Amino acid sequence: MFTNTKQLFFLSIFISIVFSLTSCAIAPKHNPIPEERLGKMALIPGIPQARIWGDEGPLYLQEWLTQSHEELMQHYSGIMGQRHNYLAISAGGKDGAFSAGLLVGWTAEGTRPEFTMVTGISTGALAAPFAYLGSAYDSQLKEMYTSYSTIDFLSKRNILSVLTGPSLFDTKPLEKLIAKYIDQKVMEEIAAEHRKGRRLWIATTNLDAGRPMIWNIGAIASSDVPGTLELIHKVVLAAASIPGAFPPVFIEVETGGKRYKEMHVDGGVFSQVFVTPVHIKWRDVARKLKVKGIPRAYLIRNSSFDSEWKIVSPDIESISGKTINLLLKTQGICDIYRIYAASKRDGIDFNLAYIPDDFDIEPSETFDPVYMGKLFDLGYQLAKNGYPWVKKPPVLE
């Protein structure tokens, strides 16, 4: 409560300055695709197979299904006539430590397969490249999820930057970490596996088009276009950039003979986890690739299923925070039901792992290394002892 006119005077001056700065703020440079072309797939210059819309099947799928065995062997020699294992790593922020621990523990247990295809959303996009490359990168996974705190991922903006800018936080620290872990060597190894036919998919949200987008990281890594490593860094950063909290990522594209910049944010806006792009009958793909036996899909959900009983303070931050968390949890559960139904339709063996409902440790900050370390250890021990993969969503159990 303001008790005198002097305080009111200074408050009015402050508000006037803030609104003045907000009204004349310079937004990040954005050269968006014209509205009449938003529904068409813009291309990454020089990499036509870099991505597909996440809400429709690839336009080239029917043509692909007509290819001969000899043609397919040129691009899928490493997965033709083999057993298939697919891994999907969900969103979850700091709780991504669970998937990292589970993968490393799975290696220690001795039955972790090579994954034919790996997908990642949000924090899952950070872990997916290393899960794709296999157990040789377990130490990197552990380090990423147990050695850093909030300050290593994010930096706070001052109040005026928040009011006049695109986000609450700056992700420069996260950009540096992504560049540190996904280097030239990692990109070349991803490219080598892609040439065998294995696939690494990461999801973002094209905010201008209002549609999900799935990026073929191996196709990007395999291209000889300059700047491919930087593009991969941008895609991974965008995949983990929660809108409003983190700034969007602008990616250069080409359509109609002109260059534009698309605005991309966290793929979790549309989905918390995915195995294959929607509208694809994977049974047809598996038959074409002459998959041996029944394909197996492994989903790692970086969250629990149970509702969190916690008293909410009657303020806007607490109420909105809890509401958004509930929305994301419910969205993730619906995604798993959808994947389960598609797996039954396409003859895929469904396997699910998730954070146990009795894990009740509270983090002390946004990215608390102590909290993440304990969650990593939990995932590690569960997998090392032989994780009891769930064969259908728990509510159906």
Side-chain angles (χ1 to χ4, degrees):
M1 180 66 69
F2 293 94
T3 57
N4 57 54
T5 55
K6 187 175 180 180
Q7 288 178 311
L8 287 171
F9 172 76
F10 282 114
L11 175 63
S12 65
I13 292 295
F14 174 76
I15 292 174
S16 298
I17 292 172
V18 167
F19 276 97
S20 175
L21 287 170
T22 303
S23 64
C24 65
I26 300 175
K29 289 184 179 181
H30 182 26
N31 178 29
I33 295 174
E35 187 174 355
E36 63 270 17
R37 298 194 67 86
L38 278 179
K40 301 176 182 179
M41 172 62 77
L43 297 178
I44 299 298
I47 318 176
Q49 299 291 327
R51 64 207 191 139
I52 60 173
W53 290 117
D55 54 6
E56 66 181 33
L59 298 177
Y60 54 81
L61 181 60
Q62 289 306 315
E63 180 182 343
W64 181 89
L65 287 170
T66 64
Q67 290 186 358
S68 67
H69 177 77
E70 291 71 23
E71 289 174 313
L72 291 173
M73 279 297 292
Q74 292 179 8
H75 303 287
Y76 303 93
S77 60
I79 65 171
M80 288 281 289
Q82 304 294 320
R83 293 190 179 276
H84 278 203
N85 297 283
Y86 314 129
L87 174 68
I89 310 176
S90 83
K94 61 188 177 300
D95 291 337
F98 175 74
S99 60
L102 191 141
L103 286 165
V104 177
W106 200 353
T107 298
E109 189 266 342
T111 62
R112 175 177 163 183
E114 177 181 83
F115 299 109
T116 314
M117 180 169 62
V118 177
T119 72
I121 288 182
S122 197
T123 191
L126 297 174
F130 307 104
Y132 175 78
L133 292 177
S135 57
Y137 282 88
D138 281 357
S139 60
Q140 285 87 333
L141 265 178
K142 181 176 182 180
E143 185 175 290
M144 284 172 57
Y145 282 98
T146 61
S147 303
Y148 300 107
S149 59
T150 307
I151 195 173
D152 298 305
F153 290 102
L154 310 168
S155 60
K156 290 184 178 180
R157 297 180 184 272
N158 61 52
I159 184 62
L160 293 180
S161 295
V162 170
L163 291 171
T164 60
S167 63
L168 294 173
F169 300 99
D170 190 338
T171 50
K172 285 288 192 298
L174 179 56
E175 288 182 50
K176 292 179 180 178
L177 282 178
I178 291 172
K180 172 185 175 181
Y181 286 100
I182 303 178
D183 57 15
Q184 184 71 27
K185 177 175 177 291
V186 167
M187 185 180 75
E188 290 173 358
E189 291 186 17
I190 290 173
E193 295 304 313
H194 176 81
R195 285 190 282 269
K196 298 175 185 177
R198 297 177 63 218
R199 291 296 179 260
L200 172 59
W201 300 96
I202 286 176
T204 67
T205 296
N206 182 327
L207 211 52
D208 292 315
R211 298 178 67 181
M213 187 153 279
I214 299 177
W215 296 79
N216 188 342
I217 301 301
I220 298 172
S222 300
S223 71
D224 56 5
V225 175
T228 51
L229 183 58
E230 290 76 12
L231 175 58
I232 292 172
H233 292 165
K234 283 189 172 186
V235 171
V236 174
L237 179 63
S241 294
I242 302 168
F246 309 150
V249 176
F250 296 96
I251 298 177
E252 187 173 72
V253 298
E254 185 175 44
T255 181
K258 295 181 179 180
R259 298 285 179 99
Y260 300 96
K261 285 192 175 182
E262 291 178 343
M263 184 187 297
H264 285 262
V265 297
D266 196 322
V269 171
F270 275 93
S271 178
Q272 295 294 295
V273 65
F274 75 101
V275 175
T276 65
V278 298
H279 307 311
I280 293 182
K281 292 184 178 179
W282 201 257
R283 186 188 296 273
D284 295 339
V285 176
R287 185 181 298 117
K288 191 69 179 178
L289 292 174
K290 301 184 183 301
V291 174
K292 184 183 294 184
I294 298 174
R296 290 173 290 189
Y298 296 94
L299 282 67
I300 305 180
R301 172 173 164 80
N302 290 307
S303 180
S304 64
F305 275 85
D306 200 14
S307 297
E308 180 186 13
W309 287 89
K310 185 178 180 181
I311 295 175
V312 178
S313 176
D315 59 76
I316 187 169
E317 181 181 358
S318 300
I319 293 171
S320 60
K322 182 62 178 284
T323 302
I324 291 171
N325 284 338
L326 288 172
L327 284 170
L328 294 175
K329 180 182 282 286
T330 304
Q331 179 195 43
I333 292 172
C334 291
D335 289 332
I336 288 172
Y337 285 151
R338 173 181 53 77
I339 294 169
Y340 176 73
S343 297
K344 288 299 178 185
R345 178 197 68 191
D346 293 333
I348 297 174
D349 180 29
F350 178 92
N351 298 272
L352 172 67
Y354 58 93
I355 298 175
D357 294 335
D358 59 2
F359 181 78
D360 56 3
I361 297 172
E362 292 289 335
S364 62
E365 56 179 297
T366 304
F367 294 98
D368 177 4
V370 174
Y371 170 89
M372 292 191 292
K374 291 181 178 179
L375 194 52
F376 178 95
D377 290 341
L378 173 64
Y380 179 88
Q381 290 300 329
L382 286 172
K384 185 181 179 182
N385 294 329
Y387 191 87
W389 292 91
V390 177
K391 306 305 290 184
K392 60 176 64 175
V395 177
L396 295 181
E397 290 278 6

